[in-house]
Amino acid sequence: MLTGRIVRFEEERGFGFIAQDGGSQEDVFFHIDSLGRGWSSLAIGTRVTFDVMEGQRGLKAYNVNVVEVNGGNEAKLAAEAAVAPTVKSTEAEEMCDVLTEDELRSEVTEQLLQRLPGLTAEQIQLVREDFVALAAKHGWIVE
């Protein structure tokens, strides 16, 4: 298990990046779903432990656990973040699949038809619209 600090987190979109302890390694992408229990908020500088795997677009963290929440050192952590490597939004989006609303509808429909071929069109529409609403609420889709 590796250790590091959160160097970027986009709460609205549910993902961020972890700088590994030890310096020169590339920052590791993580999604909010990879976090264990016991966290209430994430801030730049929060210490975490995590496992890492090679994703489609680079390193991806899983089994992420908060070790130490930003303990009031905002000024120090802000200074560290200022010199930490940053990732442009377009690069971050390339690290995970971000779909348009129509693409999400299509993907959900295909999965429902494959897994549950007995669903009616009305049932598929209801489930699909719930997925779209959830994704929009969390900023997981783009316009």
Side-chain angles (χ1 to χ4, degrees), residues 51-120:
D51 292 310
V52 69
M53 66 180 171
E54 188 66 38
Q56 290 179 331
R57 298 180 177 149
L59 297 178
K60 183 176 180 180
Y62 67 98
N63 194 24
V64 179
N65 293 292
V66 173
V67 175
E68 177 185 308
V69 178
N70 178 354
N73 292 326
E74 286 85 2
K76 178 184 174 202
L77 293 171
E80 289 175 359
V83 297
T86 58
V87 177
K88 296 177 185 171
S89 181
T90 55
E91 292 174 15
E93 290 170 5
E94 291 175 5
M95 300 225 26
C96 63
D97 289 334
V98 180
L99 304 174
T100 65
E101 194 172 310
D102 288 339
E103 290 170 332
L104 178 62
R105 276 194 179 93
S106 177
E107 292 282 334
V108 170
T109 301
E110 288 302 313
Q111 288 299 312
L112 289 171
L113 289 172
Q114 287 178 8
R115 296 289 189 172
L116 302 165
L119 288 178
T120 66

Side-chain angles (χ1 to χ4, degrees), residues 2-3 6 31 34 38-39 49-50 65 77 110 112 114 140:
L2 302 170
T3 59
I6 294 177
H31 191 270
S34 65
W39 63 277
T49 60
F50 59 98
N65 293 292
L77 293 171
E110 288 302 313
L112 289 171
Q114 287 178 8
W140 298 338

Side-chain angles (χ1 to χ4, degrees), residues 112-129:
L112 289 171
L113 289 172
Q114 287 178 8
R115 296 289 189 172
L116 302 165
L119 288 178
T120 66
E122 182 181 12
Q123 290 169 324
I124 289 173
Q125 287 177 327
L126 290 171
V127 171
R128 187 174 62 187
E129 292 312 308

